[in-house]
Amino acid sequence: MKRLLASLALAALLPQTVSAQSLPQAPEIAARAYVLLDLSANQPLAAREADTTVEPASLTKLMTAYLVFQALRDRKLALDQELTVSERAWRTGMTDASRMYIQVGTKVKVEDLIKGMIVQSGNDATVLLAEAVGGSVENFVAMMNRQAQAFGLKVSQFKNPEGLPAPGHVSTVRELGIIATRLLQDFPGEVKYYSIKEFTFNKITQQNRNLLLWRDPSVDGLKTGYTDAAGYCLIATAKRDLPNGPRRLLSVVVGASSKEARAVESQKLLNWGYSSWDAVKVYDARQAIATAEVWKGASASVKLGTQTPVAVAVPRGEAAQVKTQLVRTDPLIAPLNQGQQVGTLKVMSGTRVLAEVPVTALEPVAQAGMFGRAWDQLRLWLR
């Protein structure tokens, strides 16, 4: 029954209604809620209670990290910049076992604080980074919630940057998956911090709590969390090099019973995603997929393609059934800008629509001269 419910939940996530029987059956997952995403195909593979409100615990730190990486990118912060430890940051670290052991009044480099926040899940390091980026914890929390709105999140509300329990500090596994996905997409160079197995600061060595870093060489992140209310949580991501190219999956598991359980259940989801679903690469970004006639243009035709790679995930053995359908907004009349949308590419398996991707002009087409425009206008009238 649980497997059927999970399949029905997944069908609700897919672009078009799919019968539960047509999908691979997800394994039994001993957790309150979960979602498995194929990031290479931008597609959910399995889910249960994806929109149920949950306490995110230290998974919150993914949103904090996003804003810290944003500040680094915008040069509002520097990796070698030293921050003075505030009493608030120190006291926050003292309220929970997750801390970096920074001391009031000392100076700590931003990069060390990032490692303390990610590898050690240090609440003290997290608060100090939040103060540096936002000016105050309160301002930083407001930034977190504005970013959540920018991501289109409907449920997630943050009350602090570290994830300690607070009334109204909530999210869902679907929305946590969105935050993790955006972190990986927008800051791919920073994934390296999430694969660090241990970090030593102030002569204290702490190991990353993500047990899959030791068990699966393809796992390179992402974040653990725990509170009494949330249970044991893990967002795990793996990148495996397959014959048809690299493929990244991401699992979000919340409410497991132990550290071991969250690792085992996450590994089960990732392995099932790779073994039960095939990745199908359809087109590369900006690959010409069609040539269309252009009216009133200096050129009589234009090459069309997508601005991003097109890939889909299908149940194992269904790769040969994948087909595409290009729907154009004809007639195409110059001028056309490079990157201008001129249609939609539908990727289908049987009658299922797996993806709909904007199709754009891969090159600009200027207007023809007066005679060329008049001639094409006459031809259009006669069509």
Side-chain angles (χ1 to χ4, degrees), residues 30 65 84 86 108 137 169 186 207 211 240 291 302 327 329 349 380:
T84 302
S86 67
V108 186
V137 171
H169 190 92
D186 296 348
Q207 290 190 333
L211 299 180
R240 298 184 185 179
T291 300
V302 63
V327 181
T329 54
S349 176
L380 282 171

Side-chain angles (χ1 to χ4, degrees), residues 35 47 51 83 115 122 146 158 186 201 227 286 289 312 330 343:
V35 65
D51 297 310
L83 303 180
K115 293 175 182 177
R146 285 196 297 271
F158 300 105
D186 296 348
F201 181 80
T227 64
R286 292 174 290 282
I289 64 177
V312 294
D330 287 338

Side-chain angles (χ1 to χ4, degrees), residues 355-375:
E356 294 188 21
V357 186
V359 171
T360 64
L362 296 180
E363 54 203 356
V365 179
Q367 274 191 333
M370 183 181 298
F371 176 76
R373 295 199 306 272
W375 175 248

Side-chain angles (χ1 to χ4, degrees), residues 252-275:
V252 183
V253 172
V254 304
S257 61
S258 67
K259 295 177 183 178
E260 179 66 19
R262 70 185 174 193
V264 168
E265 301 307 301
S266 298
Q267 184 77 78
K268 193 187 302 183
L269 270 176
L270 292 171
N271 287 343
W272 174 81
Y274 282 112
S275 63

Side-chain angles (χ1 to χ4, degrees), residues 122-135:
N123 294 330
D124 46 3
T126 305
V127 168
L128 187 54
L129 286 168
E131 290 175 332
V133 173

Side-chain angles (χ1 to χ4, degrees), residues 105-120:
T106 61
K107 293 183 179 295
V108 186
K109 287 186 178 180
V110 166
E111 186 165 30
D112 285 339
L113 290 166
I114 290 172
K115 293 175 182 177
M117 173 178 67
I118 292 173
V119 182
Q120 301 174 334

Side-chain angles (χ1 to χ4, degrees), residues 1-12 14 18-29 34 36 38 43-48 247 249 268-279 312-319 321 349 352 354:
M1 177 59 73
K2 288 183 179 180
R3 290 188 179 185
L4 176 59
L5 291 175
S7 293
L8 290 171
L10 173 59
L14 290 172
V18 182
S19 67
Q21 289 74 19
S22 67
L23 297 170
Q25 295 295 298
E28 294 285 358
I29 300 298
Y34 70 82
L36 176 67
D38 187 324
Q43 192 174 319
L45 303 183
R48 189 178 74 223
R247 186 180 179 201
L249 302 185
K268 193 187 302 183
L269 270 176
L270 292 171
N271 287 343
W272 174 81
Y274 282 112
S275 63
S276 298
W277 295 78
D278 284 332
V312 294
V314 296
R316 177 59 57 89
E318 285 191 15
Q321 299 180 33
S349 176
R352 293 205 311 266
L354 302 177

Side-chain angles (χ1 to χ4, degrees), residues 4 33 77 82 88 127 134 154 194 241 245 300 333 340 361 368 371:
L4 176 59
L77 207 61
E82 292 187 332
R88 181 168 186 173
V127 168
K154 305 300 183 184
Y194 290 94
D241 292 322
I333 300 176
Q340 179 178 332
F371 176 76

